[in-house]
Amino acid sequence: MNGHSKGPHLDPVYVCGHKDPMAVRELLTRVGDKWSIFLILSLAKLPGCRARFSDIERAIPGISQRMLTMTLRHLERDGLVTRELFPEVPPRVEYELTSLGRSLLEPMQGLVDWVTTNWEQVKEARAQFDGKQGSNIVDATTAGA
Amino acid sequence: MNGHSKGPHLDPVYVCGHKDPMAVRELLTRVGDKWSIFLILSLAKLPGCRARFSDIERAIPGISQRMLTMTLRHLERDGLVTRELFPEVPPRVEYELTSLGRSLLEPMQGLVDWVTTNWEQVKEARAQFDGKQGSNIVDATTAGA
DNA sequence: AAAATACAAGAAGGCACTTTCACATCAGTT
DNA sequence: AACTGATGTGAAAGTGCCTTCTTGTATTTT
């Protein structure tokens, strides 16, 4: 219907006969980088889903000014946050989740819940898998009694 | 409680006073790579959430054998898919979403729905943002009548 | 006058993720 | 005897994200 042409080096192919996987991957690419989810969930917890630059910086240990700036720009570009500059000195800038950004919180919460419920299982699966790799080389194929 | 030591270079810090953002980011790191979501959603659509290697390969245009193998290994390691090798010649291998993997489909569907509903808005926001950058240099600050 | 503030952009480098290409298996087919 | 099929591994190269460091502003404080 609408010829969507942009997107980060994604072939305009409808995978599996649907366009959903393509678009979902774009979303995951957008939100799955190192810092975006921290920004989104941090803003979500603050009153009015709003905070200034330095507040977010403090809320996310380890983030650099550069990455905070860049991540906020990306989210702003995608319409998920707004940026409001108050021309004071020193400057004050407030970021806020847009309604679009807040609408993303619901499905995000679904992921949060899934992780809360199931992450332990994932870690166990990893431990078991890694254990098998290192020590138990002998398997049914080679273990002909 | 349990000293989890592995994980992709993540500081053991509880961000925002919760551990959720950390774990969610781990999940997004896991599932947010270039191909994982295609694999998961492809398997989800197939009968029994099960398919062989070459079927998945055909279902995902552009994926290389190497990336398909590696992505499947990662998902297997995390307990999201199982791998069953039939020692035939030529070999046959079937992959299937585990119950853990299938439980992830529900929150994933939440993302799919959000994208279906809102992605157009994201694209519009991007277009508008990119437009402002290029041409409309003059803003309220410099435009003192 | 020098320092601190709050925010942000630029350059340079490292590292991780991806891609591409080649190679290996082993029975059945030509 | 060479080829094909189905799955997978290894090496090498490319690409882009992320980190770190530096520079900048204009006012208030010391």
Side-chain angles (χ1 to χ4, degrees):
Chain A
M1 200 57 82
N2 47 21
H4 64 297
S5 55
K6 293 206 60 169
H9 49 72
L10 289 175
D11 305 330
V13 178
Y14 280 21
V15 180
C16 314
H18 297 272
K19 70 173 180 180
D20 290 347
M22 292 299 299
V24 172
R25 183 163 105 66
E26 287 193 70
L27 175 66
L28 288 179
T29 300
R30 170 80 287 286
V31 150
D33 63 2
K34 183 159 184 182
W35 299 109
S36 287
I37 192 64
F38 288 154
L39 284 192
I40 293 173
L41 294 181
S42 292
L43 281 176
K45 287 188 192 117
L46 295 171
C49 297
R50 187 177 180 92
R52 14 187 335 183
F53 185 89
S54 47
D55 293 330
I56 307 175
E57 191 180 9
R58 269 185 292 275
I60 304 177
I63 195 171
S64 63
Q65 283 190 348
R66 174 142 182 90
M67 285 314 293
L68 180 53
T69 300
M70 293 188 68
T71 307
L72 284 166
R73 282 294 172 287
H74 290 320
L75 295 175
E76 185 192 0
R77 183 171 106 99
D78 288 351
L80 299 177
V81 307
T82 56
R83 182 186 122 107
E84 187 174 5
L85 166 65
F86 298 84
E88 309 169 357
V89 170
R92 176 164 59 101
V93 180
E94 292 188 3
Y95 292 92
E96 182 177 337
L97 280 182
T98 63
S99 62
L100 184 62
R102 285 194 296 277
S103 75
L104 183 58
L105 293 178
E106 194 174 342
M108 277 298 168
Q109 187 60 43
L111 286 189
V112 172
D113 293 342
W114 186 90
V115 163
T116 302
T117 304
N118 299 292
W119 197 247
E120 195 59 35
Q121 244 184 290
V122 171
K123 288 194 295 185
E124 284 170 19
R126 282 182 185 178
Q128 190 181 340
F129 187 91
D130 294 345
K132 279 187 196 155
Q133 295 303 86
S135 55
N136 195 7
I137 314 282
V138 182
D139 62 354
T141 310
T142 61
Chain B
M1 200 61 75
N2 48 22
H4 65 295
S5 56
K6 293 207 60 169
H9 48 71
L10 288 175
D11 304 329
V13 179
Y14 280 22
V15 181
C16 314
H18 296 274
K19 69 173 181 180
D20 291 348
M22 290 300 296
V24 171
R25 184 165 106 65
E26 286 194 70
L27 175 66
L28 289 179
T29 299
R30 170 82 287 285
V31 149
D33 63 2
K34 184 160 183 181
W35 299 108
S36 286
I37 192 64
F38 288 154
L39 285 192
I40 293 173
L41 294 181
S42 292
L43 280 177
K45 285 187 192 120
L46 295 171
C49 297
R50 188 178 181 90
R52 26 190 320 188
F53 186 89
S54 48
D55 292 330
I56 307 175
E57 190 179 9
R58 270 186 292 276
I60 305 176
I63 195 171
S64 64
Q65 284 187 350
R66 177 151 181 84
M67 285 313 293
L68 180 53
T69 299
M70 294 187 67
T71 307
L72 283 167
R73 282 294 172 289
H74 290 321
L75 294 175
E76 185 193 0
R77 182 170 107 98
D78 288 351
L80 299 177
V81 307
T82 56
R83 181 188 123 105
E84 187 173 5
L85 165 65
F86 297 85
E88 308 168 356
V89 171
R92 175 163 60 99
V93 180
E94 293 188 3
Y95 292 92
E96 181 176 337
L97 280 182
T98 64
S99 61
L100 184 62
R102 285 195 296 277
S103 75
L104 184 57
L105 292 178
E106 194 175 339
M108 277 297 168
Q109 187 60 43
L111 286 188
V112 171
D113 294 341
W114 187 89
V115 163
T116 303
T117 305
N118 299 291
W119 198 248
E120 195 59 36
Q121 245 184 289
V122 171
K123 288 194 295 185
E124 284 169 19
R126 283 182 184 176
Q128 190 181 339
F129 186 91
D130 295 345
K132 278 187 195 156
Q133 295 304 84
S135 55
N136 195 5
I137 315 282
V138 182
D139 62 356
T141 308
T142 61

